[in-house]
Amino acid sequence: MTTYEDRLAAFTGRVLVERRFGPDPVNVPMIRHWCEAMGDTNPVHLSDEAARSTGRSGIVAPASMMQAWTMRGYAASTTPADIGAFDELVALLDEGGYTSVVATDSDFDFHREARPGDDLSVEEVVESISAEKRTGLGTGRFVSTLKTYRDAAGEVVATQRWRTLRFRPSAAPRAPRPRPAINQDNEFWFAAAREKRLVVQRCTECKTLRHPPGPCCPECQSFAWDTVTAGGRGTLYSYVVAHHPPHPAFDYPLLIAVVELDEGTRLITNLTGVTADDLAIGMPLEVEWLVADADLTLPLFRPVAPQEH
Ligand code: ZN
């Protein structure tokens, strides 16, 4: 049986890009444009006279232009002639989940300078594909290839060892959930939530329940209160489906609901285990605790399974 590793290993030594010539021979106008764009003022690239005074026969191309001579235009890269071993390797890496790519290093070895009139070609061969490595970007494999640049006579002008990392992008860590504004009046409610108890504040004078927490009874203005523990059942009183603005702590669309507890008070919460299409005002809901992090546990609500009500 051929394993994935075997199939990758079979690429070692394989020609990835067949020897191909650049669209134009090395020429003075392209050298001049390159030097202007790069700010390269070395006269051996710009003046035959200056180049001859250094013992050269005339202008030479900057070494950094080597790749430029053999690059094809954007249109050429989409023609059927392009489908080959390179695409096969990319498809195999995609199959392994290595869908992202970053160039890691390029190491040139120059055998001679390129001169106007040189008709340069490039061939690319796979040198190695590493075992799976863990990197800061994600788990992946280093793919090393050797590009060989030759003149029309087949003499080597330069070689380039080219290494890329093909990787599975790491999932971005979930952002922490926004902190509630906890104060002296509501701290008891979040403390109970950390113990997965849904409590409701109650006036000890007139026994009226209230939520959100506050220091004073809206019915009788008493400051005396205690709490009751709610049963965790209620119904959907109202809701909104939030698409925007996205916050990295949440999945979207985000279902934000007003739930009316069986005890009679209402609270704002998020819904879980349901999509927006299945929401209906009055639907029965029950609490489900979200342990957001070490300091924050919050009540979410999910639909009660049909057989349970
Ligand atoms: Zn009261």
Side-chain angles (χ1 to χ4, degrees):
M1 201 182 93
T2 310
T3 66
Y4 185 74
E5 295 293 330
D6 293 338
R7 289 161 68 205
L8 273 182
F11 271 92
T12 304
R14 218 176 133 182
V15 175
L16 209 55
V17 178
E18 299 277 353
R19 185 183 178 197
R20 71 163 187 243
F21 286 87
D24 297 295
V26 175
N27 62 83
V28 172
M30 273 181 69
I31 294 172
R32 206 191 327 278
H33 285 298
W34 177 281
C35 287
E36 189 180 334
M38 298 294 175
D40 187 341
T41 56
N42 189 332
V44 301
H45 306 314
L46 301 165
S47 152
D48 270 325
E49 195 188 338
R52 278 196 291 270
S53 74
T54 65
R56 294 170 169 89
S57 60
I59 280 178
V60 293
S64 53
M65 284 188 80
M66 192 57 65
Q67 279 177 289
W69 298 118
T70 55
M71 278 182 177
R72 292 181 301 168
Y74 292 113
S77 67
T78 59
T79 60
D82 213 36
I83 308 299
F86 179 80
D87 301 83
E88 258 183 71
L89 176 57
V90 170
L92 185 58
L93 290 164
D94 282 354
E95 185 187 319
Y98 312 112
T99 53
S100 295
V101 61
V102 63
T104 57
D105 48 84
S106 168
D107 183 13
F108 268 101
D109 193 0
F110 296 100
H111 294 227
R112 73 161 172 86
E113 290 173 313
R115 295 180 289 267
D118 276 332
D119 209 357
L120 299 180
S121 66
V122 65
E123 179 193 65
E124 186 172 10
V125 175
V126 178
E127 281 201 321
S128 65
I129 299 173
S130 78
E132 197 174 82
K133 310 270 189 195
R134 290 183 67 180
T135 77
L137 291 171
T139 301
R141 294 173 187 266
F142 290 96
V143 177
S144 296
T145 66
L146 186 69
K147 297 184 187 193
T148 303
Y149 298 88
R150 291 187 167 87
D151 61 20
E155 294 300 315
V156 176
V157 177
T159 58
Q160 180 187 13
R161 194 155 274 109
W162 174 246
R163 205 157 69 118
T164 55
L165 173 67
R166 297 269 172 180
F167 64 100
R168 290 186 203 113
S170 310
R174 170 59 36 112
R177 203 172 169 100
R179 305 288 88 184
I182 296 177
N183 56 40
Q184 271 189 306
D185 292 327
N186 65 15
E187 197 284 332
F188 73 93
W189 192 87
F190 290 100
R194 276 197 296 276
E195 298 168 358
K196 299 185 179 178
R197 286 189 302 115
L198 184 59
V199 296
V200 185
Q201 197 174 23
R202 177 175 61 182
C203 172
T204 48
E205 294 298 325
C206 72
K207 308 298 181 192
T208 302
L209 297 175
R210 64 179 187 260
H211 187 87
C216 174
C217 174
E219 295 298 321
C220 73
Q221 286 71 54
S222 166
F223 285 90
W225 59 270
D226 62 4
T227 62
V228 294
T229 299
R233 291 284 184 113
T235 55
L236 183 58
Y237 184 80
S238 183
Y239 65 91
V240 293
V241 180
H243 296 269
H244 198 80
H247 183 288
F250 300 105
D251 293 319
Y252 289 82
L254 178 62
L255 307 180
I256 302 164
V258 178
V259 172
E260 185 164 274
L261 297 180
D262 288 354
E263 287 76 11
T265 55
R266 297 174 192 149
L267 81 162
I268 295 173
T269 180
N270 292 135
L271 299 177
T272 187
V274 64
T275 62
D277 289 344
D278 294 327
L279 294 179
I281 298 298
M283 71 194 294
L285 301 167
E286 65 185 344
V287 73
E288 175 174 310
W289 292 97
L290 169 73
V291 182
D293 54 56
D295 299 321
L296 187 64
T297 298
L298 293 170
L300 308 183
F301 279 76
R302 66 160 54 244
V304 177
Q307 65 273 18
E308 292 178 48
H309 64 92

